[in-house]
């Protein structure tokens, strides 16, 4: 059996799952189901990227340990994948990979040793020890070169061009990967195989980046600054750079360098097809290809970079604009198959797309409820009404040709066979080429054609004429046989609905196991009793659902005490891209008050948090938790007057409720004690800062 291995990126375990994660995973799931149908033994990987400074910081922020943080986020991702039928229980992914798994450590360390033992294409050692001084962007998890940052007026430090936030200055001993020796090899390799990096526009970007000159890459961080990572073999003081660690997951998951996963089979499944967002293509080509080459391993079969979902107006999605598509809303108000269909049909794979609840409802109503769903329900109800639920024969005898023609039907059926054959071939060609939207479009032209056959031939008139009995039979047979084809072809895209249509035709067995390439017209047995007819795609009441979603979003905003002001900006006036700025009104919502620390103490088993009781001039002091334990002896803080955020929603940490926040600031990337905002003046307890 031929094999096929497909991967999504492994998602950062620092923030909750969102549409982007859902999207890439839906696409990979559809491709994996498609390949399985085509006779491949498939392996489909998704998972979480669980190391690095970002995770460490997220854990600190949330008052969790690193392990608690990654367990929590990977749990949430799994829950989302389960909700959308993407988990293994639903025939989805084969592995949910986690980089904190011991077998992964073993595999990456093996890879490190292999690389160390080889030479670069220019005959040098691929890894060497040096000293790194540079600007690091934690959200990108990457060092930034001069053309990737800017220094805003009044700032001493540069800002990342992508995240528009300050970079961390890093100066430390580090191991380097000699990436500069791989430029020529990379260019030749990528140029030699046009299918290796896709689509073309992205491939050209990668090539021009390489031609711009590659610098050696720092591939470790000192344990003292980032402890949460895979240790470098033979050097306890360093952990591996997250991208080296994360990219390797694609091979450790199938048994590279470890025993535990070897039964999956590295030799059997590698090389993979990687689906990634365009934001991380460089890592998956320049870095990943070079690491693999350095270890003497084959390159991936293909890396395909898809575009980003923007909102309905074409703006980047973000909290500021309040235009984020909530996965929970998608799950609550839409059928999974409608979401899957929309993702694959609406975005041209490789280009950016626009996602709004309204677009989703409109497409779902037009293509699914009125299109495919309506074709199925009208066909089945006519078979019930006119033929007692039995699928009639599609054959027209020659003496009835003339009547069939009168009803607009091609009597021997050759035309419809060639339309369907052509549509199937075109669908498969497009799907094989990752042109999902175009592939689906082809099937909807078939639906339009069959709809037209029905409305032109008017079965409700044919039933009145005896001599049109065969014509009516043929119309019903052709519509049902087309539905059978559609259910087989659509199974990877809409597994649940395809199975429902297949069984409503009266067919048994697993439609997902049928090879669409083997579809042959006429294999549907006349005489088959159709199954119970149930609507496959209910029509969505657009204004009702839109109102409900709007109410829900408003409530959520209230709960989070996030100003909906930004969301209310009319589209035309809104900034075209998210800018992360807040208005003065937003800022004034923050209630800052003077508080005096009455109690300060350590919390058992918590290294970072201190528990305070702070007098804000209210009936009783507030309990507030803050991550200051590593820097301050609690006793020394008692009696201090501090600035407290007094209207923060209470939240629980370590089982204790924190009812506010102490204002304190530290320099990011610096290990110094945070400065606590305090007063020399004799300020009144509880006074509001304005
Ligand atoms: N952890 C790295 C990947 C390591 S792979 C070895 C990472 N994680 S991430 O959580 O930031 O996920 C990035 C991926 O999410 C993108 O590449 C893309 O697959 C998906 N998307 C994130 N935002 C998206 C949109 N707005 N639209 C579509 N997909 C997007 O990077």
């Amino acid at each position: 059996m031929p094999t096929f291995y497909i991967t999504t990126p492994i998602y950062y375990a620092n923030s909750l799952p969102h549409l982007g994660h859902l999207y890439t995973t839906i696409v990979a799931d559809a491709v994996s189901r498609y390949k399985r149908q085509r006779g491949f033994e498939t392996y489909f990987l998704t998972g979480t990227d669980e190391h690095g400074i970002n995770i460490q910081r997220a854990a600190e922020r949330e008052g969790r340990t690193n392990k608690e943080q990654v367990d929590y986020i990977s749990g949430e991702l799994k829950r989302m994948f389960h909700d959308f039928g993407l988990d293994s229980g639903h025939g989805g992914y084969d592995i949910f990979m986690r980089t904190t798994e011991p077998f992964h450590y073993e595999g990456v360390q093996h890879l490190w040793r292999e690389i160390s033992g080889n030479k670069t294409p220019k005959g040098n050692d691929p890894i060497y020890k040096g000293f790194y001084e540079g600007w690091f962007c934690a959200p990108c998890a990457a060092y930034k070169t001069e053309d990737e940052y800017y220094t805003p007026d009044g700032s001493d430090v540069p800002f990342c061009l992508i995240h528009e936030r300050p970079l961390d200055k890093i100066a430390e001993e580090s191991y380097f990967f000699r990436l500069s020796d791989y430029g020529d090899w990379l260019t030749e390799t990528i140029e030699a195989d046009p299918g290796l990096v896709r689509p073309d526009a992205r491939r050209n970007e990668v090539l021009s980046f390489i031609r711009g000159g590659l610098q050696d890459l720092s591939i470790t961080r000192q344990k003292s600054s980032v402890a949460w990572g895979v240790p470098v073999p033979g050097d306890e003081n360093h952990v591996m750079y997250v991208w080296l660690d994360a990219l390797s997951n694609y091979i450790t998951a199938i048994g590279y360098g470890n025993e535990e996963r070897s039964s999956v089979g590295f030799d059997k499944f590698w090389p993979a097809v990687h689906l990634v967002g365009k934001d991380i293509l460089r890592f998956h080509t320049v870095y990943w290809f070079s690491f693999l080459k350095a270890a003497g391993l084959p390159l991936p079969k293909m890396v395909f970079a898809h575009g980003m979902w923007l909102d309905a107006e074409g703006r980047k999605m973000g909290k500021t604009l309040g235009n984020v598509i909530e996965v929970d809303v998608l799950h609550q108000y839409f059928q999974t198959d409608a979401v899957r269909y929309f993702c694959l049909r609406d975005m041209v794979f490789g280009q950016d797309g626009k996602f709004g609840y309204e677009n989703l409802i409109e497409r779902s109503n037009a293509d699914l409820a009125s299109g495919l769903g309506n074709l199925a329900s009208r066909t089945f109800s006519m078979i019930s009404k006119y033929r007692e639920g039995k699928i009639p024969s599609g054959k027209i005898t020659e003496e009835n040709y003339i009547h069939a023609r009168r009803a607009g039907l091609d009597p021997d059926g050759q035309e419809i066979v060639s339309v369907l054959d052509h549509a199937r071939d075109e669908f498969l060609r497009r799907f094989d080429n990752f042109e999902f939207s175009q592939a689906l479009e082809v099937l909807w032209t078939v639906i339009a054609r069959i709809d037209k056959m029905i409305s032109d031939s008017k079965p409700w008139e044919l039933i009145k004429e005896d001599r049109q009995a065969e014509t009516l039979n043929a119309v019903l047979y052709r519509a049902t046989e087309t539905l059978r084809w559609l259910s087989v072809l659509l199974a990877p895209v809409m597994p649940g609905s395809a199975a429902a249509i297949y069984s409503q035709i009266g067919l048994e067995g697993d439609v997902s196991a049928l090879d669409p390439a083997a579809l042959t017209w006429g294999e549907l047995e006349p005489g088959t009793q159709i199954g119970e007819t149930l609507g496959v795609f209910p029509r969505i009441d657009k204004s009702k659902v839109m109102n409900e979603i709007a109410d829900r979003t408003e409530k959520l905003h209230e709960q989070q005490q996030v100003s909906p002001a930004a969301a209310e900006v009319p589209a035309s006036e809104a900034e075209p891209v998210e800018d992360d700025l807040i208005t003065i009104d937003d800022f004034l919502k923050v209630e800052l008050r003077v508080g005096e620390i009455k109690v300060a103490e350590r919390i058992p088993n918590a290294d970072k948090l201190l528990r305070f009781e702070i007098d804000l001039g209210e009936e009783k002091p507030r309990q507030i938790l803050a991550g200051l334990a590593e820097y301050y002896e609690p006793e020394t803080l008692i009696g201090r007057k501090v600035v407290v955020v007094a209207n923060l929603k209470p939240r629980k940490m370590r089982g204790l409720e924190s009812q506010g926040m102490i204002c304190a600031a530290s320099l990011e990337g610096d290990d110094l004690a945070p400065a606590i905002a305090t007063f020399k003046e004799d300020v009144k307890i509880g006074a509001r800062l304005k």
Side-chain angles (χ1 to χ4, degrees):
M1 219 190 212
T3 59
F4 181 80
Y5 178 27
I6 189 155
T7 69
T8 72
I10 47 167
Y11 306 109
Y12 284 130
N14 60 347
S15 61
L16 286 166
H18 58 68
L19 173 68
H21 305 147
L22 179 63
Y23 172 65
T24 317
T25 315
I26 285 180
V27 178
D29 180 81
V31 175
S32 148
R33 287 173 197 263
Y34 170 77
K35 286 287 180 180
R36 214 181 305 148
Q37 241 190 339
R38 299 296 310 273
F40 287 79
E41 184 178 351
T42 58
Y43 202 75
F44 164 22
L45 171 147
T46 190
T48 33
D49 182 352
E50 304 194 342
H51 288 132
I53 185 78
N54 281 329
I55 316 277
Q56 231 175 272
R57 284 185 183 157
E60 267 163 40
R61 207 172 44 237
E62 301 296 328
R64 302 189 181 109
T65 63
N66 293 334
K67 179 80 173 75
E68 281 167 356
Q69 171 69 18
V70 299
D71 285 352
Y72 171 62
I73 298 290
S74 63
E76 286 298 296
L77 255 160
K78 283 183 183 170
R79 188 169 65 88
M80 175 176 85
F81 292 154
H82 173 83
D83 286 348
F84 287 88
L86 298 161
D87 56 337
S88 44
H90 288 92
Y93 57 70
D94 294 286
I95 183 174
F96 188 99
M97 179 63 191
R98 300 185 58 183
T99 52
T100 47
E101 293 275 3
F103 73 77
H104 175 70
Y105 279 53
E106 233 185 279
V108 190
Q109 290 178 334
H110 179 76
L111 182 76
W112 177 286
R113 284 191 221 97
E114 289 292 301
I115 295 177
S116 305
N118 284 340
K119 294 286 180 206
T120 70
K122 304 212 159 138
N124 298 308
D125 289 336
I127 296 179
Y128 63 93
K129 206 170 186 180
F131 193 78
Y132 192 84
E133 216 182 302
W135 294 104
F136 187 81
C137 173
C140 289
Y143 292 105
K144 296 283 149 175
T145 52
E146 247 169 73
D147 56 341
E148 293 170 321
Y149 60 67
Y150 67 102
T151 308
D153 287 347
S155 169
D156 299 337
V157 293
F159 280 47
C160 170
L161 270 177
I162 299 171
H163 292 95
E164 299 183 10
R165 41 149 285 153
L167 299 174
D168 297 330
K169 175 94 185 197
I170 290 178
E172 61 183 29
E173 188 188 74
S174 167
Y175 286 89
F176 285 82
F177 179 76
R178 207 180 298 273
L179 191 63
S180 56
D181 271 11
Y182 290 81
D184 296 342
W185 168 81
L186 276 166
T187 314
E188 279 161 30
T189 310
I190 296 173
E191 278 183 340
D193 178 359
L196 182 60
V197 182
R198 290 185 59 197
D200 281 353
R202 299 272 100 82
R203 174 169 171 261
N204 291 337
E205 274 170 23
V206 169
L207 282 169
S208 68
F209 174 76
I210 299 167
R211 288 201 193 96
L214 297 177
Q215 289 176 10
D216 291 351
L217 184 69
S218 159
I219 49 165
T220 59
R221 295 292 306 271
Q222 268 184 358
K223 217 171 183 167
S224 49
S225 55
V226 183
W228 188 236
V230 181
V232 169
D235 192 340
E236 285 291 292
N237 295 325
H238 292 262
V239 300
M240 288 186 214
Y241 171 50
V242 276
W243 274 100
L244 171 58
D245 165 358
L247 288 161
S248 316
N249 95 89
Y250 299 132
I251 55 176
T252 62
I254 53 172
Y256 176 83
N258 69 89
E259 255 313 293
E260 194 175 321
R261 308 288 309 166
S262 60
S263 60
V264 180
F266 175 74
D267 293 334
K268 182 169 164 188
F269 284 108
W270 189 256
V273 167
H274 297 312
L275 302 186
V276 300
K278 64 180 181 186
D279 50 333
I280 53 173
L281 180 64
R282 193 181 290 178
F283 301 98
H284 281 82
T285 49
V286 181
Y287 294 3
W288 184 221
F289 290 3
S290 304
F291 296 154
L292 288 166
K293 167 78 175 162
L297 296 171
L299 298 190
K301 209 177 280 166
M302 171 169 87
V303 183
F304 202 121
H306 65 70
M308 293 289 133
W309 282 110
L310 307 169
D311 77 359
E313 273 86 43
R315 298 167 300 178
K316 233 165 119 173
M317 291 187 193
K319 291 218 174 73
T320 325
L321 285 178
N323 57 357
V324 174
I325 297 285
E326 306 275 350
V327 284
D328 286 343
V329 171
L330 290 182
H331 178 54
Q332 187 179 340
Y333 291 97
F334 301 92
Q335 272 177 289
T336 295
D337 278 353
V339 176
R340 292 174 68 101
Y341 173 75
F342 183 82
C343 284
L344 287 151
R345 173 67 181 88
D346 222 72
M347 187 189 265
V348 172
F349 200 60
Q351 293 174 19
D352 289 349
K354 293 178 185 170
F355 202 128
Y357 298 118
E358 229 167 327
N359 315 24
L360 171 57
I361 297 174
E362 281 162 12
R363 197 174 261 294
S364 175
N365 281 345
D367 293 6
L368 301 179
S370 307
L372 177 60
N374 185 48
L375 174 63
S377 63
R378 77 198 289 212
T379 304
F380 298 140
S381 79
M382 288 190 296
I383 294 180
S384 300
K385 202 156 135 205
Y386 304 144
R387 296 293 181 252
E388 292 166 341
K390 274 205 171 55
I391 300 168
S393 154
K395 250 194 121 34
I396 301 180
T397 40
E398 269 190 54
E399 68 251 35
N400 282 325
Y401 273 19
I402 179 157
H403 307 306
R405 281 208 189 90
R406 206 158 41 84
L409 226 62
D410 128 58
D412 66 0
Q414 273 319 303
E415 197 185 307
I416 189 152
V417 177
S418 77
V419 167
L420 265 287
D421 275 349
H422 175 75
R424 181 217 31 228
D425 294 348
E426 191 59 9
F427 176 87
L428 299 182
R429 188 179 71 79
R430 297 284 196 170
F431 217 94
D432 279 328
N433 205 25
F434 289 66
E435 295 173 285
F436 313 113
S437 178
Q438 297 89 331
L440 289 165
E441 202 177 345
V442 170
L443 299 189
W444 261 257
T445 62
V446 171
I447 294 176
R449 204 170 167 125
I450 300 296
D451 266 337
K452 188 164 181 315
M453 172 190 77
I454 298 176
S455 31
D456 287 355
S457 64
K458 305 194 180 63
W460 48 94
E461 308 262 308
L462 298 177
I463 186 73
K464 297 179 194 155
E465 282 186 69
D466 281 352
R467 59 185 177 178
Q468 287 293 34
E470 281 192 358
T471 311
L472 176 57
N473 285 350
V475 170
L476 298 178
Y477 184 88
R478 288 175 193 187
T480 320
E481 177 62 335
T482 303
L483 285 167
R484 182 178 74 93
W485 279 48
L486 290 173
S487 63
V488 176
L489 289 160
L490 286 170
V493 177
M494 297 190 279
S497 318
I501 295 175
Y502 194 72
S503 84
Q504 291 184 28
I505 298 174
L507 299 168
E508 280 169 12
D510 180 8
V511 66
S512 311
L514 301 174
D515 184 354
L519 279 167
T520 309
W521 184 266
E523 283 187 347
L524 176 63
E525 287 287 334
T528 306
Q529 181 74 38
I530 60 165
E532 193 188 349
T533 309
L534 301 163
V536 198
F537 302 107
R539 229 192 138 64
I540 304 169
D541 182 337
K542 183 161 128 190
S543 58
K544 181 167 167 267
V545 169
M546 289 305 292
N547 283 337
E548 279 180 37
I549 294 176
D551 280 355
R552 191 192 131 109
T553 314
E554 212 168 285
K555 279 206 193 95
L556 217 68
H557 276 303
E558 275 166 19
Q559 271 173 19
Q560 294 171 342
Q561 296 173 342
V562 169
S563 154
E568 282 161 11
V569 178
S572 55
E573 284 168 41
E575 285 287 315
V577 290
E578 176 190 2
D579 61 18
D580 276 332
L581 297 178
I582 59 168
T583 65
I584 184 76
D585 291 332
D586 291 334
F587 178 71
L588 289 177
K589 291 207 167 82
V590 181
E591 194 185 317
L592 299 173
R593 289 193 182 274
V594 178
E596 186 176 306
I597 300 180
K598 297 286 182 197
V599 175
E601 59 186 26
R602 291 189 184 276
I603 302 173
N605 299 325
D607 321 336
K608 301 211 162 73
L609 286 179
L610 289 181
R611 192 186 82 84
F612 296 93
E613 283 177 26
I614 302 183
D615 184 2
L616 289 179
E618 298 167 318
E619 228 171 69
K620 59 184 209 313
R622 296 219 196 167
Q623 169 169 283
I624 291 179
L625 307 180
L628 298 170
E630 286 174 303
Y631 309 103
Y632 291 94
E633 284 311 316
E635 311 64 55
T636 62
L637 298 173
I638 295 172
R640 270 224 212 170
K641 281 188 178 155
V642 293
V643 178
V644 171
V645 180
N647 61 343
L648 200 64
K649 197 176 157 212
R651 65 177 185 141
K652 275 205 162 158
M653 291 187 262
R654 303 261 170 181
L656 297 169
E657 184 173 88
S658 180
Q659 301 153 334
M661 188 173 90
I662 299 178
C663 290
S666 57
L667 282 177
E668 275 181 318
D670 219 323
D671 225 13
L672 297 175
I676 300 177
T678 185
F679 299 93
K680 290 205 187 88
E681 301 78 357
D682 186 19
V683 281
K684 188 166 163 277
I685 290 173
R688 177 153 187 192
L689 273 69
K690 287 208 176 143

